[in-house]
Amino acid sequence: MDRVHAFSADDALTDLDATGLVAALRDGLVSVPEVVEAAIARTQQVDAALGAVAYAAYDRAREEARHPRGGFFAGVPTFVKDNVDVAGMPTQHGSDAFTAGPQRTDGDFARMYLATGLVPLGKTQLSEFGFSGAADHVRLGPVRSPWNPDHYAGASSAGSAALVAAGAVPIAHANDGGGSIRIPAAVNGLVGLKPTRGRLAQDRMMRDMPVRIVSDGVLTRSVRDTAAFYREAEKVWRNPLLAPVGDVTRPSRARLRVAVVTRGIGRDCSPEVRELTLRTAELLQSLGHHVEEVDNPVPDSFPEHFVRFWSMLALVIARRGKKDFGPTFDPTRLDNLTLGLARHAARNLHKQPFSIAVLRGSQRLAARHRATYDITLTPTLATETPRVGHLRPDQDYDEIMGRLMDWVAFTPLQNATGEPAVSLPLATTSAGLPQGMMLGAGAGREARLLGLAYELEEAVGWPRIQAG
């Protein structure tokens, strides 16, 4: 099928990234109302094919465009993933199990995010409570890739990724509890940085987990937009326990020790993905970095413990739903994956403390690895993004989980360790689909990742969807 995009030379957005749009607004080349109206029109143009919008707040955005708040990104249109609270909008979590009403106040993340000046056009679709690696909904259907709508847009932040890749907005919110910033970046040709644990303000639901596996962030089409977001977010809220990311604007001069890992945790990647990863390793070596292929240091038992913890989150939702989401909550309306995870957790409650200890202990494993290597290169995903239907949430639980584990075999480690990792659009499959490559670094080393990302972007550039 044809690619789906709304890039145009005839409106206020043209093909600008968020930083370019800021410059155009400051120079008076375009106005905030023009930019917001163009983003609304583009979203409406592509969403019928993509299924990315969960809640539209276009009239609110138009009103805000007339009186934009301050901040570096003042007037830049965006979307927020539908699992964080934004005042006046419902938070539905991609689920039919309850009916959400408008939130009274912004959550902690949205308060920080919107204080940078971004104008929200609404909320984006996700898998139910973010549990699946594909945003597919029993009633609403899947979020599709703008590169090829026969394929998934990838992970629970798929709605945000699809709209950024298709040119509807230049930047959108995403969060990542098992890869959901990096996975949709990987399959949509975007930059997706999962930050260090605690780097950004988070809603209470995310903060209260026994292991804080979820991190919020953004999806963008350029390294400079991602870097600018972290710079501006730190002006609003900063964790005093972490060194600041700062203003990263150019490639780093440091030559780094890079470990290359092509085998996932308990899974092999496809031959094509391995070859694409080794080509990226060759690129890094040609740029003067020391590159060495190593075995995956993570034990094959890690996925068992991660899934056990992941499933506990589903059990809490199933059992506390009425308290957390109101009297309309009906656990029988949860999808097969959520219900299957809840059953798995209930059967293994006695093993949960050990799994939590293993996930917490992964930080020690990471520290030993970082004593030798500055950066770890892996593919973001083990295979090309699946075709729509492969991860349908009305299938048998065991079938869905087996397919998810075969695909998402690299990203969950950093959710356990709390380290940062970025997926960059460095490869393309033989079918013409983006295949992201992931670079991981030690805790607090986002600036190192951004400096290297600038270097790679400068060396090879990123594929652009409108070129095809």
Side-chain angles (χ1 to χ4, degrees):
M1 294 179 67
D2 292 336
R3 294 172 178 176
V4 176
H5 72 84
F7 290 102
S8 169
D10 298 328
D11 66 16
L13 291 173
T14 61
D15 65 348
L16 294 171
D17 65 359
T19 305
L21 194 55
V22 166
L25 286 164
R26 289 182 175 175
D27 291 344
L29 301 177
V30 293
S31 68
V32 174
E34 288 174 327
V35 165
V36 168
E37 202 60 49
I40 292 169
R42 287 187 178 197
T43 301
Q44 291 173 326
Q45 176 185 335
V46 301
D47 192 51
L50 300 179
V53 177
Y55 178 82
Y58 301 149
D59 287 342
R60 166 186 164 151
R62 291 182 175 110
E63 178 62 28
E64 189 168 331
R66 288 193 283 269
H67 309 284
R69 69 185 85 196
F72 176 80
F73 290 114
V76 174
T78 191
F79 276 88
V80 178
K81 183 176 174 180
D82 193 20
N83 65 349
V84 303
D85 293 341
V86 177
M89 301 185 197
T91 306
Q92 196 63 54
H93 292 276
S95 178
D96 277 348
F98 67 104
T99 301
Q103 293 294 321
R104 294 181 180 179
T105 60
D106 289 336
D108 291 332
F109 175 80
R111 189 176 302 114
M112 181 211 71
Y113 185 65
L114 300 180
T116 66
L118 293 163
V119 177
L121 305 189
K123 296 282 206 75
T124 57
Q125 193 58 261
L126 66 154
S127 54
E128 185 169 73
F129 293 102
F131 287 129
S132 178
D136 203 342
H137 192 282
V138 174
R139 178 174 56 85
L140 300 173
V143 180
R144 298 173 182 269
S145 167
W147 289 83
N148 184 336
D150 289 338
H151 291 258
Y152 285 121
S156 65
S157 302
S160 292
L163 292 172
V164 173
V169 292
I171 184 171
H173 164 241
N175 50 31
D176 188 318
S180 291
I181 294 172
R182 294 161 288 161
I183 294 168
V187 304
N188 288 284
L190 302 176
V191 176
L193 171 62
K194 185 206 84 69
T196 301
R197 179 180 293 137
R199 173 66 72 187
L200 301 177
Q202 281 192 299
D203 289 2
R204 183 172 181 175
M205 178 183 289
M206 311 300 186
R207 299 197 308 267
D208 286 350
M209 294 181 180
V211 182
R212 289 178 61 180
I213 61 173
V214 178
S215 294
D216 289 277
V218 293
L219 291 161
T220 72
R221 297 193 296 267
S222 65
V223 176
R224 69 176 185 172
D225 278 1
T226 294
F229 170 74
Y230 282 94
R231 180 193 68 218
E232 298 304 314
E234 285 184 334
K235 295 177 182 178
V236 179
W237 186 93
R238 191 170 81 78
N239 184 341
L241 300 179
L242 293 174
V245 176
D247 188 15
V248 185
T249 59
R250 60 180 63 89
S252 170
R253 295 181 180 178
R255 297 303 86 184
L256 303 169
R257 302 165 299 170
V258 181
V260 182
V261 177
T262 61
R263 187 176 189 272
I265 306 170
R267 298 288 197 283
D268 288 322
C269 63
S270 72
E272 181 181 35
V273 168
R274 172 176 162 77
E275 177 60 28
L276 292 171
T277 307
L278 293 177
R279 288 183 199 172
T280 303
E282 291 172 0
L283 171 63
L284 286 164
Q285 189 162 343
S286 74
L287 293 171
H289 300 282
H290 175 78
V291 177
E292 182 179 344
E293 187 170 2
V294 302
D295 293 332
N296 197 323
V298 184
D300 287 352
S301 62
F302 176 87
E304 172 189 347
H305 298 290
F306 192 89
V307 170
R308 190 174 294 144
F309 180 78
W310 196 241
S311 69
M312 184 184 68
L313 307 179
L315 181 63
V316 170
I317 287 168
R319 291 188 175 178
R320 288 174 44 98
K322 285 190 182 295
K323 180 178 180 180
D324 292 339
F325 305 108
T328 65
F329 183 84
D330 179 359
T332 67
R333 293 178 61 81
L334 294 168
D335 70 28
N336 283 2
L337 178 59
T338 305
L339 290 171
L341 286 167
R343 288 192 301 270
H344 181 73
R347 289 193 298 264
N348 291 278
L349 280 177
H350 61 292
K351 299 178 182 178
Q352 193 65 243
F354 179 57
S355 291
I356 290 173
V358 168
L359 296 187
R360 289 174 174 167
S362 65
Q363 296 178 47
R364 294 190 296 273
L365 181 152
R368 290 196 297 271
H369 183 70
R370 294 290 163 226
T372 306
Y373 301 103
D374 304 306
I375 297 289
T376 304
L377 166 67
T378 71
T380 310
L381 292 155
T383 67
E384 185 177 81
T385 181
R387 296 180 74 85
V388 165
H390 186 70
L391 294 169
R392 222 176 50 243
D394 57 355
Q395 297 177 92
D396 177 75
Y397 165 76
D398 290 330
E399 184 74 19
I400 301 171
M401 283 304 299
R403 291 177 175 185
L404 277 173
M405 300 295 283
D406 287 342
W407 187 40
V408 183
F410 291 92
T411 53
L413 176 63
Q414 286 89 0
N415 298 98
T417 66
E419 291 185 324
V422 63
S423 181
L424 298 175
L426 283 162
T428 302
T429 70
S430 58
L433 293 172
Q435 189 74 32
M437 294 290 131
M438 187 167 68
L439 301 167
R445 294 289 192 171
E446 286 91 340
R448 173 174 285 172
L449 289 174
L450 289 167
L452 182 56
Y454 270 119
E455 184 179 6
L456 292 165
E457 185 181 37
E458 188 176 273
V460 298
W462 307 146
R464 297 300 301 271
I465 195 170
Q466 71 269 36

